[in-house]
Amino acid sequence: MRIAVVGHATWFANHYPENRQNDLNVLCLDVREGDYSWLIVLRNWRPDVTLFYRPELYPERFLRNIDGVRIAFLTEPLPAVNNGKLEPTAESALRLQVYGGMAWHAYHRRLYYDSGRAATAAILGWPVDAYRPMPIDTTVFHPPSTNMERPIDACFVGKATPHRIARLEYLRSSGLRFLWVAHGVHGGRLARLFRRSRVVLNVHADGVAAQEPRLYLAAACGCRVVTEPLSTPPAGLRPWIVEEPRDWTERVVQEHLTAHAAQRWSSTDEAERLALGVRRLLADEYAVVRPVFESGAAA
C-alpha cells in the first residue's frame, strides 16, 4: 500500500508513519499554508491512501484530484459544551474560524482527536466518522531499551499562555529539575527529551478540559504524565497518564516522582503503545473505506 501523509513537519513529524525513511512506499510532505505546489507531487505519486493533518487548510478543488483514499485528521481544539451551548475561549474561537474552510466531502473518512468534543461536533453539524487519539510514530516514541538515567524531574512542552504560566510558576522557585520547551523540538529529539524525563506535565492552553497528543507521546516513552482534567479518559496507557485535580505544588510533583520510580513497563503497556501507531491507524481506516471506494461510491 502506497501511503502519503500531508502535514507540517514541525507539528506533525511525531505523527508520521513508522520507518518512513526506509520505505519507498511512504511519502511525507512537509507543507506550508498558501503554497499548494506539493499537490503536484502528491498527484503524480498516486497514493493508495493519504492522511491529511490540518485538513481544513486544503481547497476542495485540489483535493479531488488526489487518487486513492483521502483521510482527514482534524487536530485543532474545539470549544466545550455546557447546557447545550458552546463555550468558546480565545483559543478555540480562533480555531473555529479556520475550520470554516473545511471541505468535508472531499475526504472519504473524517477523524477527530478528542472524543470529548463529540457533542460540540454534533452542534456544529460536522460529519465526523470516528474519534481516535492522534497516532504516533511508535518506532521513535518508545521507552528506553535499558534502565537509563532520567535527569529531568519534570518537563512541559508547549507554547506559553497566561493559564500555563500561572499553573507552572511555582516550579521556578522549587528544588525540582524542571524544563519547559515552548516550541522547536519534535520527532527523535522530543522522544529523547521524554526518555530523559521522569514526569511530563500536561497543562491545557486555556484551562478547559481536553485531550492532548503529548499525553500519548510522553507515556509511550515511559514517563508518568500528570495532567489537568481531561475531556474523556485516555484511550490507552492509562497507568502512565494520571489526572491530578489537586493544586499543583512541589510536594504533589514529588509524589508523582516517587510513583514513577515504582512503575514498570508491561506487555500490556507495549501492546497499547503499538496500537497507537500511524500504520495501524491507516490500515484500520483503509479497511473501512476500501469496499465503498472500490464500488465506485467514494467521494
Side-chain angles (χ1 to χ4, degrees), residues 243-285:
E243 293 182 75
E244 180 52 83
R246 295 176 293 176
D247 289 338
W248 291 10
T249 63
E250 182 175 353
R251 181 181 61 81
V252 169
V253 176
Q254 286 286 6
E255 290 179 13
H256 287 289
L257 287 169
T258 300
H260 177 266
Q263 282 188 284
R264 295 293 180 268
W265 194 258
S266 71
S267 57
T268 299
D269 298 329
E270 181 62 10
E272 291 186 353
R273 183 186 72 87
L274 293 175
L276 293 168
V278 183
R279 288 180 185 263
R280 174 75 173 268
L281 176 137
L282 289 174
D284 290 349
E285 294 300 322

Side-chain angles (χ1 to χ4, degrees), residues 179-191:
L179 178 66
W180 181 341
V181 180
H183 57 79
V185 59
H186 60 269
R189 293 176 63 200
L190 178 60

Side-chain angles (χ1 to χ4, degrees), residues 49-62:
V49 58
T50 303
L51 177 62
F52 292 87
Y53 294 117
R54 295 298 307 274
E56 70 277 8
L57 299 177
Y58 313 127
E60 182 172 3
R61 66 183 183 277
F62 295 143

Side-chain angles (χ1 to χ4, degrees), residues 30-99:
D30 182 8
V31 303
R32 299 290 189 275
E33 294 180 39
D35 178 7
Y36 297 105
S37 59
W38 54 268
L39 281 161
I40 299 173
V41 177
L42 185 57
R43 166 66 173 167
N44 292 336
W45 202 68
R46 301 181 67 85
D48 295 307
V49 58
T50 303
L51 177 62
F52 292 87
Y53 294 117
R54 295 298 307 274
E56 70 277 8
L57 299 177
Y58 313 127
E60 182 172 3
R61 66 183 183 277
F62 295 143
L63 293 169
R64 291 192 179 276
N65 287 320
I66 305 302
D67 291 329
V69 173
R70 299 183 293 273
I71 299 174
F73 208 120
L74 296 103
T75 61
E76 298 300 288
L78 288 174
V81 173
N82 187 17
N83 294 323
K85 294 184 178 180
L86 299 181
E87 291 190 329
T89 65
E91 288 281 330
S92 58
L94 177 63
R95 302 316 198 279
L96 277 180
Q97 292 181 16
V98 178
Y99 276 132

